[in-house]
Structures are given as structure tokens and as C-alpha cells.
Amino acid sequence: MSVSLRLVPPPLQLIDAPEPNWSHVARLSDDTGLLEHARNAIVRREHGYCVDDVARGLVVASREPQPTAQVVGLAERYLAFLNHATASDGRVRNRLSYDRRWLDEPSTGDWWGRAVWGLGTAAGRSTVPWIRKEAREAFAVAVQQRSPWPRAMAFAGLGAAEVLRVDSRAGDAAELLGDAATVIGLPGRDPQWVWPERELTYANPALPEVLIHAGDLLGDESLLADGLRMLGWLCRMQSHQGHLSTVPVGGWRPDAERHRFDQQPIEAAATADACATAAAVTGDDSWESPLVQAIAWFLGDNDTGTVMYDPLTGGGYDGLTPDGPNLNQGAESTLALVSTLQHARALAGRGATRPSGGLA
């Protein structure tokens, strides 16, 4: 089954998007967690698990407005994994081998931020009471920490925003969201490069999305305007010949040629998430245009005109190269696909429309 999206104002755009498909996510999951890599659609167990992907899995599962028993079971498994990864002081391990040995020590890298984001999303969105309760308790442990890294703080800020949207009195979430906005920084005055960093790298849309959430939830109109300005500029930077062309591996810098490959599905998904948040917070339907571009990126409206998923497995392809897709179907890319198709369903009027929390 597919859903049709009609975009107004012009140019009128009509695209057909499939329903979110959990088949490959389930194929990559076992009784421990979510395995990171696949060769084509076959799981590569030798690479084990990582909190980065398990947290993404919990975010996407928690965003299902009417989850099946299968999706609820996956969410419970992912929540247990994050609990196991989190130390009592809130720091988080990232990599677990297939034989269930942790390969690193707890710290506050990106995986800490993604763990906070997953826990906050489960606490704020899950339809299952015991998942919400357990996730909120785990969130309270993880938010004891702060990270010096802007993206780690951005991911954590997305989780904090989810908690605040259901509990405006959650002081720990409010403090974390404010701290995340401070670490991210504000846009510059140069209209050619408004980004607070001198390079666009990865998970870029998460940064303005956090400023948008913070401005909205903390009552700071100036911060909200800054986040919207950053996101609008990024969307213009990523628009190429009428379609989305995301910042690729290697990044973009001012006064340097912008290479186009390799593009990662997670970047398209993060763009969709941030634009959905901007539309929901502002009520401005013009944000649906870049959101639909992000959906269409997976459907073949991209720099090579290639569909970026396997309809037989439900898996998302791992990257867009000059020669087309990398046909491996790992966890990150598959979750990026499912996340973006959730937005397609919401636009078609079949799902929740509240701000999403960026998937990055």
C-alpha cells in the first residue's frame, strides 16, 4: 500500500510513498538489540551492536502512533539495551560485540546524545505505559551528563524536547535543552554562510531543529527565529536542480567546490525531521516543500535518479554514490527510510503530526 502526497503551493507535486515497513528492522534485530551492518540484506553479526543505532531504533519505534506487537517488542528490547549501556553516572558505552562484551568505556560522545534522545522519545511518545515509565527513569540518569560536542548535545536536546512536550515542568529536560542550544551556538551574520560552524559535516539539520525546539519550549522567540533561519539556509544549500542533494561524506566548506557524493540516507531523514518540526511549531506549510523533497529523495528524486530502498526487504540502501546506491542495507539507513516514511504517512493524514525530534 502507498500514500499520495499533494504539495501546494506550486509547483504542484504528487508522489506515491510506501507505508513504513518494519520487516528489515526486525531482520536486523535479535533478543539482544539491533545489529549494525548488513551485506545486501544479510546481517553481518561479526560487527555486533552499537548504541547509536539502537537509540535510533527506539526513536522510530516510539514514534509509531499505533504500533504492532512486533514494534512494541522491538522497542522494549532497544530500551533494555540502552539501560544496559548506561552507567550510574549517566555516561554511556557504545559498542557491544556479538558475544555480548562491551568494547569501550562509558563516555559522552554522540552515542550518549543519541541514547538520551531515544530515552526521551520513548518517555514522551510510547503508547505503552511501562515503556514510558522505564524510559523516563533512564532519561533522568543519562541527563546527569553534558558533552562538549555540539552534535552529541543536539541529539540529547532532541530527547529533552520530547520530554518537555509532555511535561512542561520537567526541569532536567529544560536545563539540558537550554544547554544544548548554548553549545550549538547561533547563526552568523554572513548571508552566504550563516552556519555557526565553518564546515557542514553530518547530522546538520539536528542543530537548527534543537534551536527551534528550544525557542518554542523555553519561550525564546529570538532563538526560534535563529533556528528557522539556519534551517532555511541549509535547505537552500541542499536544494539542487529541484531536488534534495544532501551534504555528503566529507562535508562542505565555504569557498570550496561542493562535491555531491557519497550521500547518506540519515541526512535526508534528518532534513525531513527538522522540516516537520519547523512546520509543526510555526504552522507554516511552506516547510512541507523541503520535507516532501526529503521523502522523494528515497523514492528516486535525487542526484542519480535512483530509488534508495529495496521494496522486497523493506531495507534502506546505505548510501548514494555517483554510480547509484550502495546496496547494503544496514540499520542506520533502514531506520532513516522508515522514519521518513512515517512523515509521508503523517502528511497523508494517517499518523501523528506533532514535532518529530530529529533522526540523525
Side-chain angles (χ1 to χ4, degrees), residues 188-226:
R189 296 180 179 179
D190 181 358
Q192 300 303 312
W193 193 267
V194 306
W195 206 247
E197 304 168 316
R198 295 308 297 167
E199 182 177 8
L200 289 166
T201 55
Y202 66 97
N204 301 294
L207 275 63
E209 184 178 8
V210 167
L211 298 188
I212 292 167
H213 279 303
D216 180 41
L217 291 165
L218 303 180
D220 189 331
E221 292 185 6
S222 177
L223 192 60
L224 172 60
D226 284 335

PDB file of all heavy atoms in Angstrom, residues 188-226:
ATOM      1  N   GLY A 188      25.675  33.016  12.126  1.00  0.00           N
ATOM      2  CA  GLY A 188      26.482  34.205  11.893  1.00  0.00           C
ATOM      3  C   GLY A 188      25.754  35.229  11.038  1.00  0.00           C
ATOM      4  O   GLY A 188      24.643  35.003  10.565  1.00  0.00           O
ATOM      5  N   ARG A 189      26.402  36.350  10.809  1.00  0.00           N
ATOM      6  CA  ARG A 189      25.771  37.447  10.064  1.00  0.00           C
ATOM      7  C   ARG A 189      26.006  37.367   8.568  1.00  0.00           C
ATOM      8  O   ARG A 189      25.323  38.057   7.803  1.00  0.00           O
ATOM      9  CB  ARG A 189      26.302  38.781  10.599  1.00  0.00           C
ATOM     10  CG  ARG A 189      25.937  39.044  12.065  1.00  0.00           C
ATOM     11  CD  ARG A 189      26.484  40.382  12.535  1.00  0.00           C
ATOM     12  NE  ARG A 189      26.110  40.653  13.933  1.00  0.00           N
ATOM     13  CZ  ARG A 189      26.478  41.735  14.589  1.00  0.00           C
ATOM     14  NH1 ARG A 189      27.244  42.657  13.977  1.00  0.00           N
ATOM     15  NH2 ARG A 189      26.095  41.904  15.847  1.00  0.00           N
ATOM     16  N   ASP A 190      26.964  36.584   8.125  1.00  0.00           N
ATOM     17  CA  ASP A 190      27.256  36.468   6.693  1.00  0.00           C
ATOM     18  C   ASP A 190      26.115  35.721   6.013  1.00  0.00           C
ATOM     19  O   ASP A 190      25.911  34.530   6.271  1.00  0.00           O
ATOM     20  CB  ASP A 190      28.570  35.718   6.500  1.00  0.00           C
ATOM     21  CG  ASP A 190      28.950  35.578   5.030  1.00  0.00           C
ATOM     22  OD1 ASP A 190      28.189  36.026   4.154  1.00  0.00           O
ATOM     23  OD2 ASP A 190      30.019  34.995   4.762  1.00  0.00           O
ATOM     24  N   PRO A 191      25.350  36.345   5.122  1.00  0.00           N
ATOM     25  CA  PRO A 191      24.219  35.650   4.492  1.00  0.00           C
ATOM     26  C   PRO A 191      24.646  34.492   3.607  1.00  0.00           C
ATOM     27  O   PRO A 191      23.847  33.612   3.311  1.00  0.00           O
ATOM     28  CB  PRO A 191      23.533  36.753   3.678  1.00  0.00           C
ATOM     29  CG  PRO A 191      24.597  37.769   3.433  1.00  0.00           C
ATOM     30  CD  PRO A 191      25.474  37.735   4.644  1.00  0.00           C
ATOM     31  N   GLN A 192      25.908  34.479   3.193  1.00  0.00           N
ATOM     32  CA  GLN A 192      26.405  33.379   2.378  1.00  0.00           C
ATOM     33  C   GLN A 192      26.782  32.160   3.207  1.00  0.00           C
ATOM     34  O   GLN A 192      26.907  31.058   2.668  1.00  0.00           O
ATOM     35  CB  GLN A 192      27.623  33.846   1.567  1.00  0.00           C
ATOM     36  CG  GLN A 192      27.341  34.998   0.631  1.00  0.00           C
ATOM     37  CD  GLN A 192      26.233  34.689  -0.356  1.00  0.00           C
ATOM     38  OE1 GLN A 192      26.231  33.629  -0.994  1.00  0.00           O
ATOM     39  NE2 GLN A 192      25.271  35.604  -0.483  1.00  0.00           N
ATOM     40  N   TRP A 193      27.004  32.379   4.510  1.00  0.00           N
ATOM     41  CA  TRP A 193      27.375  31.254   5.379  1.00  0.00           C
ATOM     42  C   TRP A 193      26.875  31.556   6.787  1.00  0.00           C
ATOM     43  O   TRP A 193      27.605  32.036   7.647  1.00  0.00           O
ATOM     44  CB  TRP A 193      28.885  31.020   5.387  1.00  0.00           C
ATOM     45  CG  TRP A 193      29.257  29.697   6.011  1.00  0.00           C
ATOM     46  CD1 TRP A 193      29.578  29.467   7.317  1.00  0.00           C
ATOM     47  CD2 TRP A 193      29.291  28.427   5.362  1.00  0.00           C
ATOM     48  NE1 TRP A 193      29.824  28.130   7.518  1.00  0.00           N
ATOM     49  CE2 TRP A 193      29.663  27.448   6.331  1.00  0.00           C
ATOM     50  CE3 TRP A 193      29.057  28.001   4.053  1.00  0.00           C
ATOM     51  CZ2 TRP A 193      29.801  26.106   6.032  1.00  0.00           C
ATOM     52  CZ3 TRP A 193      29.198  26.652   3.747  1.00  0.00           C
ATOM     53  CH2 TRP A 193      29.568  25.719   4.730  1.00  0.00           C
ATOM     54  N   VAL A 194      25.607  31.253   7.040  1.00  0.00           N
ATOM     55  CA  VAL A 194      25.009  31.601   8.328  1.00  0.00           C
ATOM     56  C   VAL A 194      25.276  30.542   9.386  1.00  0.00           C
ATOM     57  O   VAL A 194      24.947  30.740  10.551  1.00  0.00           O
ATOM     58  CB  VAL A 194      23.483  31.811   8.187  1.00  0.00           C
ATOM     59  CG1 VAL A 194      23.177  32.832   7.113  1.00  0.00           C
ATOM     60  CG2 VAL A 194      22.764  30.506   7.908  1.00  0.00           C
ATOM     61  N   TRP A 195      25.868  29.425   8.991  1.00  0.00           N
ATOM     62  CA  TRP A 195      26.082  28.305   9.915  1.00  0.00           C
ATOM     63  C   TRP A 195      27.033  28.702  11.036  1.00  0.00           C
ATOM     64  O   TRP A 195      28.013  29.421  10.808  1.00  0.00           O
ATOM     65  CB  TRP A 195      26.648  27.129   9.127  1.00  0.00           C
ATOM     66  CG  TRP A 195      26.358  25.788   9.740  1.00  0.00           C
ATOM     67  CD1 TRP A 195      27.250  24.916  10.280  1.00  0.00           C
ATOM     68  CD2 TRP A 195      25.074  25.160   9.831  1.00  0.00           C
ATOM     69  NE1 TRP A 195      26.601  23.786  10.725  1.00  0.00           N
ATOM     70  CE2 TRP A 195      25.265  23.913  10.463  1.00  0.00           C
ATOM     71  CE3 TRP A 195      23.795  25.541   9.467  1.00  0.00           C
ATOM     72  CZ2 TRP A 195      24.214  23.039  10.730  1.00  0.00           C
ATOM     73  CZ3 TRP A 195      22.747  24.680   9.723  1.00  0.00           C
ATOM     74  CH2 TRP A 195      22.968  23.434  10.343  1.00  0.00           C
ATOM     75  N   PRO A 196      26.797  28.242  12.273  1.00  0.00           N
ATOM     76  CA  PRO A 196      27.695  28.616  13.373  1.00  0.00           C
ATOM     77  C   PRO A 196      29.046  27.928  13.324  1.00  0.00           C
ATOM     78  O   PRO A 196      29.946  28.282  14.098  1.00  0.00           O
ATOM     79  CB  PRO A 196      26.909  28.184  14.624  1.00  0.00           C
ATOM     80  CG  PRO A 196      25.994  27.104  14.152  1.00  0.00           C
ATOM     81  CD  PRO A 196      25.637  27.468  12.743  1.00  0.00           C
ATOM     82  N   GLU A 197      29.209  26.950  12.455  1.00  0.00           N
ATOM     83  CA  GLU A 197      30.488  26.267  12.265  1.00  0.00           C
ATOM     84  C   GLU A 197      31.038  26.618  10.887  1.00  0.00           C
ATOM     85  O   GLU A 197      30.290  27.003   9.985  1.00  0.00           O
ATOM     86  CB  GLU A 197      30.308  24.748  12.366  1.00  0.00           C
ATOM     87  CG  GLU A 197      29.678  24.282  13.665  1.00  0.00           C
ATOM     88  CD  GLU A 197      29.240  22.824  13.607  1.00  0.00           C
ATOM     89  OE1 GLU A 197      28.636  22.420  12.587  1.00  0.00           O
ATOM     90  OE2 GLU A 197      29.489  22.097  14.575  1.00  0.00           O
ATOM     91  N   ARG A 198      32.330  26.420  10.703  1.00  0.00           N
ATOM     92  CA  ARG A 198      32.957  26.738   9.419  1.00  0.00           C
ATOM     93  C   ARG A 198      32.899  25.581   8.443  1.00  0.00           C
ATOM     94  O   ARG A 198      33.507  25.630   7.378  1.00  0.00           O
ATOM     95  CB  ARG A 198      34.421  27.160   9.632  1.00  0.00           C
ATOM     96  CG  ARG A 198      34.583  28.434  10.406  1.00  0.00           C
ATOM     97  CD  ARG A 198      33.757  29.577   9.812  1.00  0.00           C
ATOM     98  NE  ARG A 198      34.165  29.941   8.460  1.00  0.00           N
ATOM     99  CZ  ARG A 198      33.462  30.712   7.646  1.00  0.00           C
ATOM    100  NH1 ARG A 198      32.268  31.161   8.021  1.00  0.00           N
ATOM    101  NH2 ARG A 198      33.914  30.996   6.435  1.00  0.00           N
ATOM    102  N   GLU A 199      32.148  24.557   8.768  1.00  0.00           N
ATOM    103  CA  GLU A 199      32.006  23.416   7.883  1.00  0.00           C
ATOM    104  C   GLU A 199      30.663  22.744   8.159  1.00  0.00           C
ATOM    105  O   GLU A 199      30.221  22.651   9.304  1.00  0.00           O
ATOM    106  CB  GLU A 199      33.144  22.416   8.117  1.00  0.00           C
ATOM    107  CG  GLU A 199      33.111  21.211   7.207  1.00  0.00           C
ATOM    108  CD  GLU A 199      34.305  20.287   7.428  1.00  0.00           C
ATOM    109  OE1 GLU A 199      35.062  20.530   8.393  1.00  0.00           O
ATOM    110  OE2 GLU A 199      34.463  19.337   6.646  1.00  0.00           O
ATOM    111  N   LEU A 200      29.995  22.297   7.085  1.00  0.00           N
ATOM    112  CA  LEU A 200      28.837  21.426   7.212  1.00  0.00           C
ATOM    113  C   LEU A 200      29.342  19.997   7.171  1.00  0.00           C
ATOM    114  O   LEU A 200      29.986  19.589   6.203  1.00  0.00           O
ATOM    115  CB  LEU A 200      27.848  21.677   6.062  1.00  0.00           C
ATOM    116  CG  LEU A 200      27.074  22.999   6.104  1.00  0.00           C
ATOM    117  CD1 LEU A 200      26.410  23.269   4.751  1.00  0.00           C
ATOM    118  CD2 LEU A 200      26.036  22.973   7.218  1.00  0.00           C
ATOM    119  N   THR A 201      29.054  19.232   8.209  1.00  0.00           N
ATOM    120  CA  THR A 201      29.586  17.880   8.280  1.00  0.00           C
ATOM    121  C   THR A 201      28.448  16.862   8.227  1.00  0.00           C
ATOM    122  O   THR A 201      27.948  16.548   7.159  1.00  0.00           O
ATOM    123  CB  THR A 201      30.452  17.707   9.539  1.00  0.00           C
ATOM    124  OG1 THR A 201      29.678  18.066  10.708  1.00  0.00           O
ATOM    125  CG2 THR A 201      31.688  18.591   9.468  1.00  0.00           C
ATOM    126  N   TYR A 202      28.023  16.350   9.362  1.00  0.00           N
ATOM    127  CA  TYR A 202      26.987  15.314   9.390  1.00  0.00           C
ATOM    128  C   TYR A 202      25.899  15.730  10.374  1.00  0.00           C
ATOM    129  O   TYR A 202      26.122  16.558  11.262  1.00  0.00           O
ATOM    130  CB  TYR A 202      27.573  13.958   9.793  1.00  0.00           C
ATOM    131  CG  TYR A 202      28.089  13.919  11.221  1.00  0.00           C
ATOM    132  CD1 TYR A 202      27.303  13.414  12.248  1.00  0.00           C
ATOM    133  CD2 TYR A 202      29.356  14.415  11.539  1.00  0.00           C
ATOM    134  CE1 TYR A 202      27.768  13.393  13.560  1.00  0.00           C
ATOM    135  CE2 TYR A 202      29.828  14.392  12.845  1.00  0.00           C
ATOM    136  CZ  TYR A 202      29.027  13.889  13.846  1.00  0.00           C
ATOM    137  OH  TYR A 202      29.486  13.883  15.144  1.00  0.00           O
ATOM    138  N   ALA A 203      24.714  15.162  10.193  1.00  0.00           N
ATOM    139  CA  ALA A 203      23.571  15.434  11.073  1.00  0.00           C
ATOM    140  C   ALA A 203      23.313  16.929  11.217  1.00  0.00           C
ATOM    141  O   ALA A 203      22.868  17.395  12.268  1.00  0.00           O
ATOM    142  CB  ALA A 203      23.790  14.795  12.443  1.00  0.00           C
ATOM    143  N   ASN A 204      23.568  17.663  10.147  1.00  0.00           N
ATOM    144  CA  ASN A 204      23.438  19.122  10.216  1.00  0.00           C
ATOM    145  C   ASN A 204      22.033  19.589  10.602  1.00  0.00           C
ATOM    146  O   ASN A 204      21.902  20.512  11.421  1.00  0.00           O
ATOM    147  CB  ASN A 204      23.864  19.734   8.882  1.00  0.00           C
ATOM    148  CG  ASN A 204      25.289  19.384   8.519  1.00  0.00           C
ATOM    149  OD1 ASN A 204      26.224  19.794   9.181  1.00  0.00           O
ATOM    150  ND2 ASN A 204      25.464  18.594   7.462  1.00  0.00           N
ATOM    151  N   PRO A 205      20.955  19.003  10.064  1.00  0.00           N
ATOM    152  CA  PRO A 205      19.622  19.535  10.399  1.00  0.00           C
ATOM    153  C   PRO A 205      19.272  19.447  11.877  1.00  0.00           C
ATOM    154  O   PRO A 205      18.410  20.197  12.350  1.00  0.00           O
ATOM    155  CB  PRO A 205      18.679  18.663   9.559  1.00  0.00           C
ATOM    156  CG  PRO A 205      19.518  18.172   8.416  1.00  0.00           C
ATOM    157  CD  PRO A 205      20.872  17.962   9.017  1.00  0.00           C
ATOM    158  N   ALA A 206      19.931  18.553  12.618  1.00  0.00           N
ATOM    159  CA  ALA A 206      19.619  18.430  14.043  1.00  0.00           C
ATOM    160  C   ALA A 206      19.957  19.702  14.802  1.00  0.00           C
ATOM    161  O   ALA A 206      19.303  20.013  15.817  1.00  0.00           O
ATOM    162  CB  ALA A 206      20.369  17.240  14.645  1.00  0.00           C
ATOM    163  N   LEU A 207      20.948  20.451  14.345  1.00  0.00           N
ATOM    164  CA  LEU A 207      21.358  21.653  15.078  1.00  0.00           C
ATOM    165  C   LEU A 207      20.272  22.729  15.051  1.00  0.00           C
ATOM    166  O   LEU A 207      19.840  23.190  16.115  1.00  0.00           O
ATOM    167  CB  LEU A 207      22.687  22.177  14.543  1.00  0.00           C
ATOM    168  CG  LEU A 207      23.958  21.535  15.125  1.00  0.00           C
ATOM    169  CD1 LEU A 207      24.048  20.037  14.812  1.00  0.00           C
ATOM    170  CD2 LEU A 207      25.207  22.248  14.604  1.00  0.00           C
ATOM    171  N   PRO A 208      19.793  23.149  13.873  1.00  0.00           N
ATOM    172  CA  PRO A 208      18.699  24.128  13.911  1.00  0.00           C
ATOM    173  C   PRO A 208      17.424  23.560  14.498  1.00  0.00           C
ATOM    174  O   PRO A 208      16.631  24.315  15.110  1.00  0.00           O
ATOM    175  CB  PRO A 208      18.517  24.514  12.436  1.00  0.00           C
ATOM    176  CG  PRO A 208      19.121  23.412  11.645  1.00  0.00           C
ATOM    177  CD  PRO A 208      20.253  22.911  12.490  1.00  0.00           C
ATOM    178  N   GLU A 209      17.187  22.262  14.364  1.00  0.00           N
ATOM    179  CA  GLU A 209      15.974  21.688  14.948  1.00  0.00           C
ATOM    180  C   GLU A 209      15.961  21.878  16.460  1.00  0.00           C
ATOM    181  O   GLU A 209      14.912  22.191  17.051  1.00  0.00           O
ATOM    182  CB  GLU A 209      15.840  20.213  14.594  1.00  0.00           C
ATOM    183  CG  GLU A 209      14.531  19.626  15.099  1.00  0.00           C
ATOM    184  CD  GLU A 209      14.320  18.171  14.741  1.00  0.00           C
ATOM    185  OE1 GLU A 209      15.256  17.535  14.211  1.00  0.00           O
ATOM    186  OE2 GLU A 209      13.213  17.673  15.014  1.00  0.00           O
ATOM    187  N   VAL A 210      17.114  21.705  17.098  1.00  0.00           N
ATOM    188  CA  VAL A 210      17.172  21.905  18.549  1.00  0.00           C
ATOM    189  C   VAL A 210      16.918  23.366  18.905  1.00  0.00           C
ATOM    190  O   VAL A 210      16.212  23.663  19.881  1.00  0.00           O
ATOM    191  CB  VAL A 210      18.528  21.420  19.097  1.00  0.00           C
ATOM    192  CG1 VAL A 210      18.737  21.894  20.524  1.00  0.00           C
ATOM    193  CG2 VAL A 210      18.599  19.910  19.037  1.00  0.00           C
ATOM    194  N   LEU A 211      17.462  24.299  18.122  1.00  0.00           N
ATOM    195  CA  LEU A 211      17.195  25.718  18.399  1.00  0.00           C
ATOM    196  C   LEU A 211      15.707  26.030  18.242  1.00  0.00           C
ATOM    197  O   LEU A 211      15.151  26.820  19.011  1.00  0.00           O
ATOM    198  CB  LEU A 211      18.020  26.599  17.468  1.00  0.00           C
ATOM    199  CG  LEU A 211      19.544  26.491  17.562  1.00  0.00           C
ATOM    200  CD1 LEU A 211      20.200  27.576  16.718  1.00  0.00           C
ATOM    201  CD2 LEU A 211      20.029  26.569  19.005  1.00  0.00           C
ATOM    202  N   ILE A 212      15.059  25.412  17.257  1.00  0.00           N
ATOM    203  CA  ILE A 212      13.621  25.615  17.061  1.00  0.00           C
ATOM    204  C   ILE A 212      12.852  25.084  18.267  1.00  0.00           C
ATOM    205  O   ILE A 212      11.962  25.755  18.806  1.00  0.00           O
ATOM    206  CB  ILE A 212      13.166  24.940  15.756  1.00  0.00           C
ATOM    207  CG1 ILE A 212      13.773  25.667  14.544  1.00  0.00           C
ATOM    208  CG2 ILE A 212      11.642  24.916  15.656  1.00  0.00           C
ATOM    209  CD1 ILE A 212      13.633  24.906  13.240  1.00  0.00           C
ATOM    210  N   HIS A 213      13.172  23.875  18.694  1.00  0.00           N
ATOM    211  CA  HIS A 213      12.529  23.327  19.887  1.00  0.00           C
ATOM    212  C   HIS A 213      12.774  24.216  21.102  1.00  0.00           C
ATOM    213  O   HIS A 213      11.849  24.502  21.873  1.00  0.00           O
ATOM    214  CB  HIS A 213      13.088  21.932  20.182  1.00  0.00           C
ATOM    215  CG  HIS A 213      12.491  20.820  19.383  1.00  0.00           C
ATOM    216  ND1 HIS A 213      11.141  20.549  19.374  1.00  0.00           N
ATOM    217  CD2 HIS A 213      13.068  19.880  18.583  1.00  0.00           C
ATOM    218  CE1 HIS A 213      10.903  19.494  18.607  1.00  0.00           C
ATOM    219  NE2 HIS A 213      12.056  19.080  18.114  1.00  0.00           N
ATOM    220  N   ALA A 214      14.025  24.612  21.291  1.00  0.00           N
ATOM    221  CA  ALA A 214      14.362  25.408  22.474  1.00  0.00           C
ATOM    222  C   ALA A 214      13.646  26.747  22.454  1.00  0.00           C
ATOM    223  O   ALA A 214      13.107  27.195  23.491  1.00  0.00           O
ATOM    224  CB  ALA A 214      15.869  25.605  22.563  1.00  0.00           C
ATOM    225  N   GLY A 215      13.624  27.394  21.293  1.00  0.00           N
ATOM    226  CA  GLY A 215      12.924  28.667  21.201  1.00  0.00           C
ATOM    227  C   GLY A 215      11.455  28.529  21.510  1.00  0.00           C
ATOM    228  O   GLY A 215      10.859  29.373  22.192  1.00  0.00           O
ATOM    229  N   ASP A 216      10.850  27.459  21.020  1.00  0.00           N
ATOM    230  CA  ASP A 216       9.426  27.222  21.231  1.00  0.00           C
ATOM    231  C   ASP A 216       9.124  26.846  22.683  1.00  0.00           C
ATOM    232  O   ASP A 216       8.266  27.434  23.333  1.00  0.00           O
ATOM    233  CB  ASP A 216       8.963  26.118  20.279  1.00  0.00           C
ATOM    234  CG  ASP A 216       7.482  25.794  20.417  1.00  0.00           C
ATOM    235  OD1 ASP A 216       6.683  26.730  20.564  1.00  0.00           O
ATOM    236  OD2 ASP A 216       7.135  24.593  20.370  1.00  0.00           O
ATOM    237  N   LEU A 217       9.847  25.861  23.203  1.00  0.00           N
ATOM    238  CA  LEU A 217       9.527  25.307  24.515  1.00  0.00           C
ATOM    239  C   LEU A 217      10.019  26.170  25.676  1.00  0.00           C
ATOM    240  O   LEU A 217       9.443  26.135  26.765  1.00  0.00           O
ATOM    241  CB  LEU A 217      10.112  23.903  24.635  1.00  0.00           C
ATOM    242  CG  LEU A 217       9.446  22.857  23.740  1.00  0.00           C
ATOM    243  CD1 LEU A 217      10.310  21.603  23.652  1.00  0.00           C
ATOM    244  CD2 LEU A 217       8.059  22.513  24.261  1.00  0.00           C
ATOM    245  N   LEU A 218      11.092  26.934  25.449  1.00  0.00           N
ATOM    246  CA  LEU A 218      11.644  27.772  26.515  1.00  0.00           C
ATOM    247  C   LEU A 218      11.202  29.222  26.385  1.00  0.00           C
ATOM    248  O   LEU A 218      11.646  30.081  27.154  1.00  0.00           O
ATOM    249  CB  LEU A 218      13.174  27.681  26.512  1.00  0.00           C
ATOM    250  CG  LEU A 218      13.752  26.266  26.664  1.00  0.00           C
ATOM    251  CD1 LEU A 218      15.277  26.305  26.639  1.00  0.00           C
ATOM    252  CD2 LEU A 218      13.240  25.585  27.927  1.00  0.00           C
ATOM    253  N   GLY A 219      10.354  29.494  25.399  1.00  0.00           N
ATOM    254  CA  GLY A 219       9.784  30.827  25.262  1.00  0.00           C
ATOM    255  C   GLY A 219      10.759  31.879  24.791  1.00  0.00           C
ATOM    256  O   GLY A 219      10.665  33.050  25.201  1.00  0.00           O
ATOM    257  N   ASP A 220      11.684  31.521  23.907  1.00  0.00           N
ATOM    258  CA  ASP A 220      12.696  32.448  23.409  1.00  0.00           C
ATOM    259  C   ASP A 220      12.460  32.665  21.912  1.00  0.00           C
ATOM    260  O   ASP A 220      12.923  31.882  21.078  1.00  0.00           O
ATOM    261  CB  ASP A 220      14.090  31.879  23.669  1.00  0.00           C
ATOM    262  CG  ASP A 220      15.211  32.868  23.371  1.00  0.00           C
ATOM    263  OD1 ASP A 220      15.013  33.735  22.500  1.00  0.00           O
ATOM    264  OD2 ASP A 220      16.283  32.749  23.989  1.00  0.00           O
ATOM    265  N   GLU A 221      11.733  33.722  21.557  1.00  0.00           N
ATOM    266  CA  GLU A 221      11.383  33.964  20.161  1.00  0.00           C
ATOM    267  C   GLU A 221      12.611  34.224  19.292  1.00  0.00           C
ATOM    268  O   GLU A 221      12.635  33.849  18.115  1.00  0.00           O
ATOM    269  CB  GLU A 221      10.408  35.135  20.067  1.00  0.00           C
ATOM    270  CG  GLU A 221       9.044  34.836  20.664  1.00  0.00           C
ATOM    271  CD  GLU A 221       8.059  35.965  20.440  1.00  0.00           C
ATOM    272  OE1 GLU A 221       8.413  36.933  19.724  1.00  0.00           O
ATOM    273  OE2 GLU A 221       6.938  35.880  20.973  1.00  0.00           O
ATOM    274  N   SER A 222      13.618  34.867  19.855  1.00  0.00           N
ATOM    275  CA  SER A 222      14.837  35.136  19.094  1.00  0.00           C
ATOM    276  C   SER A 222      15.545  33.835  18.732  1.00  0.00           C
ATOM    277  O   SER A 222      16.021  33.661  17.604  1.00  0.00           O
ATOM    278  CB  SER A 222      15.770  36.040  19.905  1.00  0.00           C
ATOM    279  OG  SER A 222      16.989  36.253  19.213  1.00  0.00           O
ATOM    280  N   LEU A 223      15.601  32.905  19.679  1.00  0.00           N
ATOM    281  CA  LEU A 223      16.232  31.617  19.426  1.00  0.00           C
ATOM    282  C   LEU A 223      15.445  30.830  18.377  1.00  0.00           C
ATOM    283  O   LEU A 223      16.024  30.180  17.502  1.00  0.00           O
ATOM    284  CB  LEU A 223      16.327  30.831  20.727  1.00  0.00           C
ATOM    285  CG  LEU A 223      17.201  29.575  20.741  1.00  0.00           C
ATOM    286  CD1 LEU A 223      18.641  29.909  20.395  1.00  0.00           C
ATOM    287  CD2 LEU A 223      17.128  28.913  22.111  1.00  0.00           C
ATOM    288  N   LEU A 224      14.132  30.885  18.457  1.00  0.00           N
ATOM    289  CA  LEU A 224      13.296  30.226  17.453  1.00  0.00           C
ATOM    290  C   LEU A 224      13.583  30.796  16.080  1.00  0.00           C
ATOM    291  O   LEU A 224      13.758  30.042  15.103  1.00  0.00           O
ATOM    292  CB  LEU A 224      11.825  30.411  17.821  1.00  0.00           C
ATOM    293  CG  LEU A 224      10.792  29.946  16.790  1.00  0.00           C
ATOM    294  CD1 LEU A 224      10.933  28.465  16.493  1.00  0.00           C
ATOM    295  CD2 LEU A 224       9.381  30.270  17.278  1.00  0.00           C
ATOM    296  N   ALA A 225      13.666  32.105  15.956  1.00  0.00           N
ATOM    297  CA  ALA A 225      13.947  32.733  14.666  1.00  0.00           C
ATOM    298  C   ALA A 225      15.325  32.336  14.145  1.00  0.00           C
ATOM    299  O   ALA A 225      15.504  32.094  12.935  1.00  0.00           O
ATOM    300  CB  ALA A 225      13.848  34.256  14.790  1.00  0.00           C
ATOM    301  N   ASP A 226      16.303  32.243  15.046  1.00  0.00           N
ATOM    302  CA  ASP A 226      17.646  31.830  14.634  1.00  0.00           C
ATOM    303  C   ASP A 226      17.629  30.401  14.088  1.00  0.00           C
ATOM    304  O   ASP A 226      18.272  30.099  13.078  1.00  0.00           O
ATOM    305  CB  ASP A 226      18.614  31.919  15.815  1.00  0.00           C
ATOM    306  CG  ASP A 226      19.017  33.343  16.139  1.00  0.00           C
ATOM    307  OD1 ASP A 226      18.972  34.200  15.229  1.00  0.00           O
ATOM    308  OD2 ASP A 226      19.375  33.610  17.300  1.00  0.00           O
TER     309      ASP A 226
END
